[in-house]
């Protein structure tokens, strides 16, 4: 059977990756979302095994040592990683797999799996990103300020991606995202 397409999606915190990907996944039953592992504390609305697999630092480091992750990175003082077995299994089943990961992780994937498609979601402007992040009630002012600072660094690296989509409206972005996936799948036929 033909292997599925590996899709990496990055973008600064608050750009709307979660909302866009939820819609894309709903429209594509053949697409699977890879749930990451993190050492970050769960937010009030997050569920173990749905948003993330929440681990202690010790458990996380054990997984790295055992070579159980495809990539990992430290983001905002917490560790994040993509579990290897799940992604490989789904790709072999012919499913397309989406990784929602940061720029450091995306570059590791590009190195290891050059056939992956890298998509960057950018905000229409920095002011709009700030407005969206501040509207997220679940985080403290310190965390939001830190994320805004780091957004500059992420935005500066968007040219390392195969595609950049400016997330003006969710529906337009979803359409563009799906068009890219279709085009890339066609190329590989
Ligand atoms: P958050 O804490 O807001 O859920 O995520 C913070 C950042 O970590 C986001 O940029 C997100 O894309 C990134 N991230 C989430 N999971 C992973 C992962 O498995 N690997 C890497 N490298 N980054 C991740």
């Amino acid at each position: 059977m033909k292997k599925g397409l590996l899709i990496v999606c990055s973008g600064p915190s608050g750009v709307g990756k979660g909302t866009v990907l939820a819609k894309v996944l709903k429209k594509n039953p053949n697409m699977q979302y890879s749930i990451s592992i993190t050492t970050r504390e769960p937010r009030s609305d997050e569920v173990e095994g749905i948003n993330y697999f929440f681990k202690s630092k010790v458990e996380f480091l054990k997984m790295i040592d055992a070579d159980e992750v495809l990539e990992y990175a430290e983001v905002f003082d917490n560790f994040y990683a993509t579990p290897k077995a799940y992604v490989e299994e789904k790709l072999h089943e012919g499913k397309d797999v989406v990784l929602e990961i940061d720029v450091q992780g995306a570059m590791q994937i590009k190195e290891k799996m050059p056939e992956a498609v890298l998509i960057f979601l950018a905000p229409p402007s920095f002011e709009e990103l700030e407005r969206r992040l501040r509207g997220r009630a679940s985080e403290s002012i310190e965390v939001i300020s830190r994320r805004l600072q780091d957004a500059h660094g992420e935005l500066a690296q968007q040219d390392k991606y195969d595609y950049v989509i400016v997330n003006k409206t969710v529906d337009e972005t979803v359409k563009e995202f799906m068009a890219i996936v279709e085009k890339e799948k066609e190329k590989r036929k």
Side-chain angles (χ1 to χ4, degrees):
M1 191 195 281
K2 197 143 172 44
K3 263 182 82 177
L5 182 68
L6 182 60
I7 305 150
V8 174
C9 180
S10 307
S13 198
V15 77
K17 288 172 298 214
T19 312
V20 167
L21 291 180
K23 284 208 166 188
V24 168
L25 285 152
K26 214 170 162 190
K27 287 177 189 254
N28 288 277
N30 193 50
M31 202 182 273
Q32 306 285 317
Y33 180 83
S34 161
I35 301 165
S36 296
I37 304 153
T38 183
T39 61
R40 158 167 89 56
E41 288 295 315
R43 295 186 189 124
S44 57
D45 58 343
E46 287 180 327
V47 180
E48 163 73 17
I50 291 187
N51 304 93
Y52 282 106
F53 296 110
F54 295 97
K55 304 275 182 205
S56 67
K57 266 199 179 143
V58 172
E59 288 171 315
F60 187 94
L61 294 173
K62 267 193 197 155
M63 290 187 73
I64 309 274
D65 280 347
D67 195 27
E68 290 174 9
V69 306
L70 269 185
E71 60 73 35
Y72 74 96
E74 193 176 351
V75 188
F76 316 122
D77 304 324
N78 293 302
F79 289 105
Y80 296 82
T82 302
K84 193 193 257 182
Y86 177 84
V87 174
E88 289 182 344
E89 182 189 310
K90 294 295 162 194
L91 289 175
H92 277 110
E93 283 173 13
K95 306 268 189 207
D96 301 326
V97 179
V98 184
L99 310 184
E100 183 190 337
I101 62 178
D102 84 320
V103 178
Q104 305 167 71
M107 294 305 115
Q108 292 170 46
I109 296 289
K110 192 175 178 176
E111 181 89 21
K112 273 196 197 166
M113 303 161 102
E115 69 282 10
V117 181
L118 273 62
I119 304 176
F120 189 92
L121 290 195
S125 66
F126 199 79
E127 291 67 35
E128 176 60 19
L129 183 71
E130 182 163 6
R131 197 185 63 73
R132 289 183 195 173
L133 256 182
R134 293 200 190 281
R136 214 191 240 183
S138 56
E139 283 157 317
S140 66
I141 298 204
E142 292 75 39
V143 169
I144 291 170
S145 306
R146 176 72 198 279
R147 286 179 181 237
L148 277 170
Q149 270 177 26
D150 287 8
H152 284 291
E154 290 241 320
L155 289 170
Q157 300 190 71
Q158 52 185 282
D159 56 347
K160 294 180 177 161
Y161 284 70
D162 300 313
Y163 298 92
V164 176
I165 308 177
V166 177
N167 187 22
K168 293 192 206 101
T169 71
V170 175
D171 288 343
E172 271 177 66
T173 303
V174 168
K175 261 195 208 152
E176 263 186 75
F177 197 106
M178 304 229 302
I180 292 169
V181 170
E182 282 317 309
K183 186 170 123 189
E184 290 291 333
K185 282 170 75 88
E186 204 51 45
K187 264 202 223 168
R188 285 160 176 73
K189 269 186 189 160

